[in-house]
Amino acid sequence: MKQVIDRHNLHSQNLHKFDQPSLQLQLESSTYAILSKEMADRTRELRQMKGEELQELNMEELMRLEKSLEGGLSRVVQTKGERLLNEIDALRRKEAQLTEENLRLKQHETGINTNVQGHSFNTFICSSSGDNSQDRESSNTSLKLGLPFPS
């Protein structure tokens, strides 16, 4: 019987605690309110940077927004210029590499043509005519002999 009374007393004491929000719940609620306000402010700033909702701004706020946008635009233009210069440099290096390779190939081709022109070739022609009943045509085969191309 004493256990039942103790549980009843404990339960009635805990009922008063449920009427007051817990400290953890209060902290979460205030954090949520702060974050919600910050999100709304950032969303409004973003819309204003896009040129929307400008009618509620006074002259000082408009000038501050303009200065912020000009600073951002100058950083964008600077970054774009740097990337273009890097791309141009890379293309110039590639051009020099391809020009060098083209010159090397032309020199190699000229060397091959010089070697080929200095040697004579022999041509052998073999004729064969058979009395094969299925193939009554004659066939000619030619073979050109010369120096092999260097690999």
Side-chain angles (χ1 to χ4, degrees), residues 11-36:
H11 181 65
S12 53
Q13 288 173 355
N14 285 338
L15 284 177
H16 296 297
K17 290 181 181 178
F18 288 122
D19 291 339
Q20 299 173 349
S22 71
L23 181 59
Q24 178 70 23
L25 185 59
Q26 288 175 352
L27 285 174
E28 287 178 6
S29 179
S30 66
T31 302
Y32 176 77
I34 290 169
L35 290 175
S36 292

Side-chain angles (χ1 to χ4, degrees), residues 35-132:
L35 290 175
S36 292
K37 183 181 180 329
E38 187 175 336
M39 177 128 164
D41 291 343
R42 298 290 181 213
T43 303
R44 182 179 39 75
E45 286 176 20
L46 182 61
R47 277 187 252 135
Q48 288 172 347
M49 290 182 122
K50 290 180 177 180
E52 302 169 2
E53 299 181 14
L54 298 177
Q55 60 276 7
E56 62 189 45
L57 298 178
N58 61 30
M59 186 56 91
E60 183 179 319
E61 292 170 329
L62 284 170
M63 290 173 64
R64 187 173 45 240
L65 178 62
E66 181 182 24
K67 189 172 185 174
S68 172
L69 289 172
E70 285 175 350
L73 180 61
S74 69
R75 286 189 298 274
V76 168
V77 169
Q78 180 182 3
T79 303
K80 179 183 167 188
E82 289 171 359
R83 289 195 182 163
L84 283 173
L85 288 176
N86 289 339
E87 197 171 320
I88 289 170
D89 287 343
L91 289 172
R92 283 185 178 154
R93 285 191 300 272
K94 179 121 181 163
E95 177 190 23
Q97 179 186 6
L98 290 173
T99 302
E100 182 179 312
E101 184 178 355
N102 191 21
L103 181 62
R104 185 182 53 80
L105 289 172
K106 282 182 180 181
Q107 288 173 347
H108 183 70
E109 180 186 27
T110 303
I112 290 173
N113 285 340
T114 303
N115 287 340
V116 169
Q117 289 173 359
H119 295 83
S120 63
F121 293 95
N122 296 324
T123 304
F124 297 96
I125 299 176
C126 297
S127 291
S128 149
S129 63
D131 288 335
N132 194 344

